[in-house]
Structure formats: C-alpha cells, structure tokens
Amino acid sequence: MNLDRYVRRTPAELPPRRRAVYQFICDYACERNGVTPPIMTIARNMGVSFSTARGHVTELALARLIRLEDRQIIVEDSEWVPPDLVRFKAL
C-alpha cells in the first residue's frame, strides 16, 4: 500500500485542479468572515459535479490541508480573526 497519499502536502504540491479548489475554499472563507463553502457551492463555482468536488475535498483532507468537522470544511493551519478584533500599529 502506498502511504504517500497520506503525507502532509503543501498547496504547491497539489495537482492544478485540486490547488484551484483549495484556493477557492480559502478565498471564499476570506470573503465571508471565515465561513467555508458547502461542497455544492464548490462544485458550481468550479464547474464540476458534486461527486468530483467531494473527491477533491476528500483528497485535500487526506493531504491534511483541510479537515472536515460536522459537515464543515476547516482550513488547517489557519486562524480566522473577526475584523473588529484586528488592531493595526500606528505608523
């Protein structure tokens, strides 16, 4: 059995289409205050079927770039901070 599939990957190591799905998830979350897209939204925006989008999401989870909790996508190694809590240093 080839276990390379389960080794943590970086986005740059992903196939182009899967990298685009990962980027879409990150951009969507950024634009919507940390809320990640449902799989159907990923499918519609990427122009693929639900099962294909689900496959990409599953592979991203296996690569440990995201995780699935209670039917929600969580981007690994990220921490969303509400805009009202962001403080900028004065120049």
Side-chain angles (χ1 to χ4, degrees):
M1 176 180 209
N2 185 357
L3 297 178
D4 288 343
R5 179 178 185 189
Y6 304 102
V7 174
R8 181 162 174 83
R9 304 266 182 229
T10 65
E13 296 174 303
L14 298 172
R17 191 68 170 161
R18 194 157 302 132
R19 190 173 338 137
V21 170
Y22 179 71
Q23 188 62 53
F24 174 75
I25 292 169
C26 294
D27 291 346
Y28 185 100
C30 186
E31 293 169 3
R32 289 169 179 80
N33 296 330
V35 176
T36 53
I39 294 175
M40 186 51 85
T41 300
I42 296 169
R44 255 188 256 120
N45 281 277
M46 300 304 296
V48 298
S49 69
F50 179 87
S51 61
T52 299
R54 177 70 180 164
H56 284 303
V57 168
T58 300
E59 290 294 325
L60 288 169
L62 288 172
R64 294 193 267 168
L65 290 169
I66 64 169
R67 70 180 188 274
L68 302 171
E69 287 184 7
D70 300 325
R71 299 179 56 174
Q72 183 176 2
I73 297 169
I74 309 294
V75 179
E76 288 288 353
D77 296 330
S78 68
E79 182 178 336
W80 183 78
V81 179
D84 57 332
L85 296 180
V86 175
R87 303 280 184 245
F88 296 97
K89 285 186 185 179
L91 298 176

